[in-house]
Amino acid sequence: MRSVLRVVLWLAALAAVAFTVVVVYGFIRLDHDIDHPQDGFSGWQCASQSGTCDR
């Protein structure tokens, strides 16, 4: 029983690390999109009437 619990805890820790990596990668991509709007924004990143997404 102890080894099963240990495996479950390791899997949970690995899942938490993977989730953290995905979130950090998303923030890095968002920061790049904000700094370089000419590369293209998605619709939710465009503020209305701001001109950042006008081509």
Side-chain angles (χ1 to χ4, degrees):
M1 184 66 173
R2 212 178 262 230
S3 63
V4 173
L5 181 60
R6 182 172 289 181
V7 169
V8 169
L9 288 175
W10 274 106
L11 288 175
L14 289 174
V17 169
F19 178 74
T20 302
V21 168
V22 168
V23 169
V24 168
Y25 178 71
F27 278 125
I28 290 171
R29 285 187 50 121
L30 176 65
D31 185 54
H32 177 268
D33 286 344
I34 290 172
D35 289 341
H36 302 94
Q38 67 274 12
D39 293 342
F41 273 122
S42 5
W44 68 271
Q45 293 169 320
C46 298
S48 63
Q49 306 292 325
S50 68
T52 58
C53 295
D54 297 337
R55 296 196 180 234

